[in-house]
């Protein structure tokens, strides 16, 4: 069933260690009882349960040994008190519970919850519990667990994922790394996750969006104490609805010269479409002027596709400097290849010193040579390109996406936009941003070319590389989501995303203006 939260999420994202320290500070320094926090978390989770699933049928609650398990026991107690049918399975032996988790189990039993020890239940009976469940509550493993889940948790995670019933995860899907979003061995695929105290970064990047489902956050009234605890967020959550409100307005007396001239250097033989898509995306996201420098044979097709773009056919890199001198921002890389033509173009772009976006084969060429760091470039690698820049495996990149983006930035300078679910933007001047959301329809060739064009356009208009990168990634995703609403995931094309850009910008412009008739700096038309 579709879920509708009607809730907002904070921007600050924390590591697992930081959340535990905030929790400890609230208990030790502010005098709030741990069991009191546990009761509040369970009550919040139960409210979300009945809101999403008002007639859940039989509820199967799976409880571990720590505080996460304690939350589960209290969710079961809430459900029983409200007359719902609950099966509560102790995946970790209740005899080993201690502290608040033990008190939660005791409270649940007192309230009439029948707790069954997993070790005492026959295998066929366990299967029956999962088959008969209308809803599963995952309260097995929390933020204190890293690495592959051990038995019997691994088996229970498998049972959850094979069951027909949806899963509500408490604080974190069991098996998901709360800090990095990685999954080692297996994790529960939840329909929704109710998380508390601090928003965990791992819910929003790497495998987090795949396993967490819809994320709901409740601070349990600890907002002020999070700052007092001394714990800093590791990243900032960004979505288009929020970042679009921060973009400047377009004056009524605006002219094209105010919104930047973007030069797209793209499209060696066999890859002419890359430059065309990047150029059109730059135009559709508000650049004042766009020039495309490409192979001569692609001039006519490019003009036919997008006649508002100025197109120049180049045979040799020595022809590029006059175009570079007229540009405010350069996008280099889409479809340039790694041959002589692409090498010449990249050398000229870098030598110009112009603010630039480097994508695709420009990054591969950088990885194969000693590249000079620069403060005014934005690098946009996908995980494969990132692995070549860092000379490591793709798995190493995905195991810590925020850390990987930071390492690339430290080596090459500027701003780094690491593509993928939960895109990461890193720079020296701000916390890393994680773009909230993902769209599987974007897993097709050419989507990165569209992003590079949008990014070049916003960089030219805003001047701030970090803001431009985060806004571009968020806008790119919002446009893809808009296109997906009518076309679906399979068969979604980069051109569909380009076509959706003006509508997404117009809707956000109206929301930002509040009906006052003002206009954004980021506009619908390119000049």
């Amino acid at each position: 069933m579709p879920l509708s939260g009607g809730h907002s999420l904070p921007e600050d994202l924390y590591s697992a260690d930081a959340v535990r320290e905030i929790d400890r500070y609230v208990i030790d320094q502010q005098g709030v009882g741990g069991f009191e926090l546990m009761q509040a978390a369970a009550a919040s989770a139960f409210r979300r349960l009945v809101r999403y699933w008002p007639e859940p049928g039989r509820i199967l609650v799976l409880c571990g040994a720590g505080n996460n398990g304690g939350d589960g026991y209290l969710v079961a107690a809430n459900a029983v008190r409200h007359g719902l049918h609950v099966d509560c399975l102790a995946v970790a032996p209740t005899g080993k519970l201690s502290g608040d988790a033990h008190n939660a189990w005791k409270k649940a039993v007192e309230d009439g919850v029948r707790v069954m020890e997993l070790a005492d239940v026959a295998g066929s009976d366990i299967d029956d519990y999962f088959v008969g469940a209308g809803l599963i509550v995952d309260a097995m493993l929390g933020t204190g667990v890293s690495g592959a889940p051990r038995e019997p948790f691994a088996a229970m995670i498998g049972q959850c994922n094979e069951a027909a019933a949806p899963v509500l995860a408490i604080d974190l899907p069991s098996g998901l790394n709360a800090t990095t979003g990685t999954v080692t061995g297996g994790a529960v695929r939840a329909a929704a996750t109710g998380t508390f105290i601090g928003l965990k970064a791992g819910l929003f990047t790497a495998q987090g969006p795949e396993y967490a489902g819809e994320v709901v956050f409740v601070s349990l009234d600890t907002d002020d104490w999070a700052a007092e605890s001394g714990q800093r967020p590791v990243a900032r959550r960004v979505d288009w609805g929020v970042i679009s409100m921060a973009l400047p307005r377009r004056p009524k007396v605006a002219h094209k010269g105010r919104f930047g001239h973007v030069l797209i250097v793209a499209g060696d033989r066999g890859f002419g479409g890359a430059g065309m898509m990047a150029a059109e995306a730059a135009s559709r996201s508000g650049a004042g002027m766009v020039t495309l420098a490409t192979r001569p044979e692609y001039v006519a097709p490019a003009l036919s596709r997008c006649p508002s773009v100025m197109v120049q056919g180049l045979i040799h890199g020595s022809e590029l400097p006059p175009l570079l001198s007229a540009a405010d921002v350069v996008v280099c890389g889409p479809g340039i290849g790694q041959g002589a033509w692409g090498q010449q173009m990249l050398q000229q772009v870098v030598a110009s010193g112009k603010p630039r976006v480097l994508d695709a084969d420009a990054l591969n060429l950088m990885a194969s040579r000693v590249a000079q760091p620069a403060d005014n470039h934005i690098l946009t690698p996908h995980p494969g390109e990132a692995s070549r820049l860092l000379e490591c495996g793709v798995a190493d990149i995905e195991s810590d996406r925020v850390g990987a983006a930071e390492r690339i930035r430290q080596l090459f300078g500027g701003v780094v936009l690491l593509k993928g679910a939960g895109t990461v933007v890193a720079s020296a001047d701000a916390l890393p941003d994680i773009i909230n959301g993902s769209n599987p329809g974007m897993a097709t060739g050419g989507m990165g070319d569209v992003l590079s064009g949008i990014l070049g356009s916003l960089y030219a208009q805003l001047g701030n590389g970090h803001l431009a990168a985060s806004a571009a990634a968020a806008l790119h995703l919002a446009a893809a989501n808009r296109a997906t609403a009518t076309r679906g995931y399979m068969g979604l094309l980069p051109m569909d995303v380009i076509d959706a850009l003006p509508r997404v910008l117009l809707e956000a412009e109206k929301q930002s203006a509040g009906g006052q008739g003002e206009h954004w700096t980021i506009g619908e038309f390119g000049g």
Side-chain angles (χ1 to χ4, degrees), residues 169-223:
I170 305 300
D171 206 34
L172 189 75
S174 291
L176 179 71
N177 186 296
T179 302
T180 65
T182 53
V183 172
T184 305
V188 169
R189 293 182 182 272
T193 298
T195 194
F196 313 105
I197 306 292
L199 207 53
K200 289 79 179 170
L203 295 169
F204 298 93
T205 193
Q207 296 299 307
E210 176 72 17
Y211 286 87
E214 182 172 333
V215 176
V216 181
F217 173 73
V218 179
S219 70
L220 306 181
D221 296 326
T222 63
D223 310 71

Side-chain angles (χ1 to χ4, degrees), residues 445-461:
M447 288 293 180
D449 304 323
V450 173
L451 175 59
S452 68
I454 297 171
L455 179 48
S457 172
L458 298 193
Y459 195 12
Q461 294 174 70

Side-chain angles (χ1 to χ4, degrees), residues 61-70 73 88-98 101 105 115-120 139-141 150-153 156:
V61 183
L62 305 173
C63 296
N67 286 346
N68 194 247
Y73 285 119
C88 186
L89 195 59
V91 182
T94 57
K96 294 184 178 181
L97 298 177
S98 62
W105 163 76
V115 179
M116 298 158 290
E117 301 281 351
L118 177 63
D120 297 335
M140 293 184 288
L141 302 174
R150 300 177 180 178
E151 297 296 349
F153 295 99
M156 292 299 98

Side-chain angles (χ1 to χ4, degrees), residues 14-29 143 197 225-226 228-232:
Y14 293 91
S15 68
D17 289 342
V19 173
R20 286 194 293 273
E21 288 302 318
I22 295 170
D23 186 79
R24 184 175 294 113
Y25 176 84
V26 171
I27 294 170
D28 294 344
Q29 302 298 320
T143 59
I197 306 292
W225 294 328
E228 291 181 18
S229 70
Q231 298 303 311
R232 285 179 49 81

Side-chain angles (χ1 to χ4, degrees), residues 269-280:
R269 290 190 178 96
F271 302 100
M276 298 179 204
M277 289 185 288
E280 187 170 358

